[in-house]
Amino acid sequence: MQDNLRRFNRYAVLLLVLVCMGQLSGQISSGRVHGQITDPSGALVPGTNISLTNQSGQTLTASSDKSGSYHIDGLLPGKYSLTAEAKGFARFTREFEVGAGQDVALNASLKIATQQLEIVVQGKEAAEEGQGRSVGVSSDSNANATVISGKELDYLADDPSELGLQLLELAGPSAGPNGGHVYVDGFASGYLPPKISIREIRINQNPFAAEQDRIGYGRVEVFTKPGGSQIHGQFLADDNNSAFNSGNPFSPQKLHYNSNIFTGDLWGPLKKNLTGYVSYQRRNVNDATPINAVVLNPSFNEVPINESIPHSDHVNVFAARFEYQINPNHLLIGRYLYTGVADQNLGILPHFLASKAFNYDAYEHRVQVSDNFQINPHAENDIRFEFKKSRNHGQAVNSGPGLDVSGAFEGGASNIGNSSLSQDYYELQDNTLITRGRHIIKFGGRLRTTFYRPDSFELFNGEYAFDSIEAYRITLQGIAQGLTPAQIRAAGGGAEEFLIGVGDPQSNLTAVDGAVFVQDDWRMRSNLNISYGLRYETQNVIHDHHDLAPRIGVAWGLDGGSKGAARTILRAGVGVFYDRLIPSQASSTKRLDGSHAHQIIINNPDFFPNVPPISELLSGQSGLTLNTFGQIDPRFKAPYNLQMGVALERQIKKSATASVTYLHTRGNHQLLTRNINAPLPGTFDPEDPASGVRPLGPGLNIYQLQAEGVFRQHQVITSLNFRTDSRLSLVVKHTLNFARGNVEPILGFPVNQYDPTADYGRTALDIRHRISVGGVFALPRGLRLSPLLLLKSGTPYDVLLADDINGDSIFNNRPAFATDLSRASVVRTPLGAFDTQPLPGQKIVPRGFGTGPVLYTLNLRLGKTFTLGPKKELGNGSSSGAQGSSGSAGVWGPRYTLGFNINAQNILNHLNLGLPEAVVGSPLFGQSTALAGGAYSSGISSRRITLQTMFAF
């Protein structure tokens, strides 16, 4: 009996102890560790194996998701050791301590393991492909970003020039009036690398980071492939022949041409801890440029001209990259890129004649060095340096003055003359990352210097301007009849203006700008992240040296917390983003300052077609002369955009995420140029070019570069990312967009030089809808289909007059809406009746009154890859193979692969037309005279089919 009692007491005591421990543990709040896994370039590393070991030797495991994020919950207070392992990277180990209820943010930047790295030729392994992008509260895991890697790259163009256009279309009109920007391996890019050397593309990620100099929405980041521990090669050959393509509706007959691209990549080990990557691409584009204009025949009758001029573009690109693992905590990366370009018969627009062509050649050497090292377990530093030397040269095919007959054609010689440009560019970046508890702190800076040396003879050959083809006809007929210039002008003929540049074509410039920043990602709670920072920028070419750009972003997991990872994220942010005055803008203004060069404008010249000596033009003997100079506003302020955004993101299921984002952008101090000595409003009589009161004296134009423009934009962006497994990947995006302002993306003049606000209206960015759908589908028999659908509403354009009716020497005036249809100045058009000689009180046609055609294209790539040669064992233990009885996976890869692709651009052969002719009174008014080009069609055909062969080992 006592034995039973003692046994009961022991059990009771044990039970009491367990109950007390349970109560005690219930009173102790568990902790959490979370973070993101990246490689040395900052790219995400999904599928990383995470193991967490406590002081007692107990281990918890996790794996990073598609966005590289991981989290482990339910941690008791104490010390832990975290280990992160991913294929091709060195093991990452970090010790840390968790307090009661503490949420520890611990990011891991994996170093490349030279002896372990293995690059799969066809992209990501099957286990990694198709994993759905997960939502998260990290600042760079916004679900409205687009991440393209592996086989998902298939739906993008192989030609780097076309690829760049597609990427900017996918980024959307989210970057304000200055458009999107492309960065390659952390540096602003002039040329994209060959696509087969690209590892990953990220679009619109982490939009409010203080580290970024430009608006995050519209930012495209491209990361190239590293080397590997085994020698691999990949070779592509593309061929495009006119026999496979549709014709051009603006050419009288189908032209014969052929273009091809050859690309080869080779990568592997060079020595211990040193790997290399080399790439070469040769592009031979031989096609033609259509010409669609209205000219005069020998009988002085108007006739349409539809012809084509041969065009060739030859590009050589050589790229090399190496990675040297100095030690497990120190990685050195070097890159070299050479690009050489040779173009024949460039610069022909739809209404240009063949005589306007020029030839162009250029080269660029680019050297980049990145040094990444771990300072201590909680800090690392990344130093990047770039040197770029570029030279380009343009040579007009013909000599003599140019000829612009408004609304009909442009002929004569190219205005480029014999111009060249040399640039030497230096950039240094230094960024430091520190992790402290719930904070990820990053700070650093950038210094850039450009030695800009132009030798520009633009317009040094002169150009005649006629306000109509009728005035041009009367002039030619009068010359043929031997009439005097006065008689020709009395009959309604004569050129309206002659413009020529004189002086020193050089305006060398040294531009320096610098920036420093600091930002903190604070995981305030497990489901709440606050990212805030400040950026300071300055440059030497303007007087505005104190530009502060605060940024802040908040991400809140609405249904997260102790229950697990959030599936619904509310994200908001606001930031100021400055635009630097680029060297070409500053140098162009400096070149026309009078001490270097200036322009001479002769109103109503009577010497067509013979150009008098410059001395005679300067003396004023040849007609009313306006000397034209340029300058920068002494009160110039750096342009900036204030962008605000709110997004709701939802993890629909493991393989799909959706988001809706509202963006509002306010652009202030936007660039425009004003003639500050134009005739005062109401004082100029178009019938008397000498009339008008100019505040700074007669005979003078002063084109002043100012920052007085404004820009307003509202957007609603809806996106869906759906990835199941390697068989399906789909990204869908729709943008509803409204954009108004008094400036255009291309620097321009206001209509009223004394009231730029009068131009406030629709801008060329006011494209109402944009839709993009891109995906990869696995079909039976090993076929892979990669579609890309792009659609956008019509682009606004201005309705213009051919005459300078306010005497400011700028041909950008707009007509008025006609109120008296009996006036001789009224022109009836499909857009309405316009009065080309507006009366006081008449309403001027607003900016962006016309709308171009809707554009859409469906591009398809159909491909199949064959495996050749014996299978080879790569190792055991990977998660990418089928599990055997022992629990390990045997991983194998083919020794050789041979692939064939058929790429069809605009497979539906939709006729994507360019903007219509905008000059009222033109015989072509309202008509599109060329294909849209860009991402929607080539310049020579609506539909284009390219054959591609790929071999890899």
Side-chain angles (χ1 to χ4, degrees), residues 593-909:
D593 62 1
S595 61
H596 292 81
H598 70 283
Q599 292 178 352
I600 302 173
I601 297 177
I602 309 294
N603 286 319
N604 294 337
D606 289 333
F607 46 79
F608 177 82
N610 301 310
V611 179
I614 295 298
S615 58
E616 182 178 328
L617 294 175
L618 289 172
S619 67
Q621 301 176 29
S622 300
L624 180 62
T625 302
L626 292 170
N627 290 302
T628 303
F629 303 93
Q631 61 178 227
I632 295 179
D633 186 354
R635 302 169 300 170
F636 189 94
K637 297 288 186 180
Y640 73 88
N641 294 283
L642 174 65
Q643 188 168 79
M644 299 163 279
V646 178
L648 184 65
E649 305 169 356
R650 173 68 179 175
Q651 184 84 41
I652 301 175
K653 56 181 182 177
K654 184 179 179 180
S655 58
T657 61
S659 68
V660 178
T661 304
Y662 167 73
L663 292 177
H664 175 50
T665 305
R666 301 178 64 87
N668 295 322
H669 297 304
Q670 301 297 300
L671 296 182
L672 55 82
T673 302
R674 283 203 306 122
N675 183 355
I676 62 174
N677 196 38
L680 295 174
T683 65
F684 180 77
D685 180 5
E687 299 297 325
D688 180 11
S691 63
V693 177
R694 296 176 180 264
L696 301 179
L700 183 65
N701 286 325
I702 301 178
Y703 295 162
Q704 188 176 84
L705 179 62
Q706 298 182 345
E708 302 296 334
V710 295
F711 175 81
R712 303 291 184 262
Q713 186 177 33
H714 299 269
Q715 299 173 83
V716 178
I717 305 171
T718 306
S719 63
L720 172 66
N721 289 267
F722 185 74
R723 295 176 174 90
T724 55
D725 50 29
S726 60
R727 293 174 298 177
L728 174 61
S729 173
L730 187 66
V731 179
V732 182
K733 182 178 178 181
H734 171 262
T735 301
L736 175 65
N737 173 61
F738 301 85
R740 298 175 69 84
N742 64 348
V743 293
E744 288 292 354
I746 299 176
L747 188 65
F749 290 80
V751 171
N752 185 342
Q753 303 297 329
Y754 294 96
D755 185 15
T757 62
D759 276 345
Y760 189 84
R762 296 176 69 198
T763 75
L765 289 180
D766 189 47
I767 299 171
R768 192 68 67 240
H769 298 278
R770 288 176 185 255
I771 297 175
S772 64
V773 181
V776 179
F777 299 87
L779 303 178
R781 300 185 180 276
L783 295 172
R784 184 177 291 267
L785 181 67
S786 304
L788 175 62
L789 171 68
L790 298 174
L791 182 148
K792 71 177 180 180
S793 302
T795 301
Y797 66 93
D798 292 344
V799 176
L800 301 173
L801 292 175
D803 297 311
D804 173 21
I805 61 174
N806 57 7
D808 60 5
S809 303
I810 309 299
F811 290 83
N812 64 348
N813 298 104
R814 300 189 298 271
F817 291 110
T819 55
D820 181 0
L821 298 181
S822 64
R823 296 191 70 201
S825 57
V826 171
V827 178
R828 299 172 185 266
T829 76
L831 294 181
F834 302 121
D835 197 329
T836 59
Q837 297 178 10
L839 296 171
Q842 279 186 308
K843 183 179 179 181
I844 302 299
V845 175
R847 285 188 57 208
F849 183 74
T851 302
V854 173
L855 306 179
Y856 69 84
T857 179
L858 176 61
N859 302 338
L860 288 180
R861 178 194 298 256
L862 180 65
K864 181 176 177 59
T865 300
F866 300 90
T867 58
L868 308 173
K871 301 175 182 179
K872 58 181 180 179
E873 295 294 327
L874 298 181
N876 292 320
S878 171
S879 62
S880 61
Q883 294 292 327
S885 58
S886 63
S888 63
V891 184
W892 62 271
R895 185 177 182 183
Y896 303 105
T897 57
L898 180 63
F900 299 95
N901 293 306
I902 300 177
N903 307 321
Q905 183 190 49
N906 192 17
I907 192 171
L908 301 178
N909 200 27

